[in-house]
Amino acid sequence: PSHHYHRTVRELVKRAKEFVNIDLVLADRGFESLDVYQVLDDLGVDYLLPKIEHSSELEVAERMEQDGKDVAVERTKVDTARGSHESRLLYVPGNDGETQTFITNRSIAPEDAEAWVEHYANRWCIENEYRAIKQEFLARTSSTEHELRVYYFVFGILMYNVWRLADVLLKATVTREITDYTPAISAG
């Protein structure tokens, strides 16, 4: 149930902070919860998540359209039984022209909102890389042995990295530019 996500998020972020510095937490709409926002703020990490648009967000989007605005930032407060903090609702144009709403605990000026939301768009690169690893490089197994499954996963990541390196070297040799993220050679 979604009301328990904040506990999972707390444990995952606390564990990750033991090994790395966390600059920004990006999560999808499935994690939309005041408790999740509060946990992230309590742990001292910035977050950026898309919001499911409720009537209040839709009203702001309509008002923006009437006023001829593309971008808006609205101050709000996350208030839970566990605590509260200031946050911002970012209203930015999506690829389809519709206004998208995001929430963050960072203080963002309206002129910086679109650039800030671009961080979320970059999240898809990670999703696509993971999908490529699973589809093209991960050995299929029915084994329940944890060690073997971890080995296959690490080996799949290694093969993916070799493929990306070969792609970068090919681009550097042929075009002398590495500006396009799209691989020049297919994995399959």
Side-chain angles (χ1 to χ4, degrees), residues 82-164:
R82 294 170 178 76
S84 64
H85 67 278
E86 273 201 14
S87 62
R88 303 288 187 277
L89 293 176
L90 311 177
Y91 298 89
V92 298
N95 292 338
D96 59 1
E98 295 292 317
T99 300
Q100 294 181 315
T101 308
F102 290 82
I103 187 167
T104 183
N105 57 343
R106 270 245 179 118
S107 181
I108 303 294
E111 59 270 13
D112 299 326
E114 286 185 273
W116 184 241
V117 170
E118 192 65 29
H119 288 295
Y120 193 80
N122 293 338
R123 172 181 174 263
W124 285 108
C125 291
I126 297 167
E127 299 267 348
N128 288 334
E129 288 174 355
Y130 183 70
R131 186 176 304 112
I133 291 169
K134 279 180 61 177
Q135 291 175 352
E136 304 293 340
F137 298 99
L138 198 59
R140 283 143 181 76
T141 182
S142 58
S143 173
T144 56
E145 288 185 49
H146 179 70
E147 293 84 5
L148 181 63
R149 296 180 74 83
V150 168
Y151 172 78
Y152 282 161
F153 184 71
V154 171
F155 188 75
I157 291 171
L158 177 65
M159 290 295 96
Y160 174 82
N161 288 337
V162 168
W163 172 63
R164 291 303 296 198

Side-chain angles (χ1 to χ4, degrees), residues 34-35 37-39 41-42 77-85:
L34 294 176
D35 288 326
Y37 305 150
Q38 188 60 46
V39 161
D41 193 72
D42 289 345
K77 187 174 187 175
V78 171
D79 201 2
T80 70
R82 294 170 178 76
S84 64
H85 67 278

Side-chain angles (χ1 to χ4, degrees), residues 5-6 32 42 46 51 150 157 165:
Y5 282 173
H6 68 281
E32 181 178 11
D42 289 345
D46 292 334
K51 285 204 34 71
V150 168
I157 291 171
L165 176 62

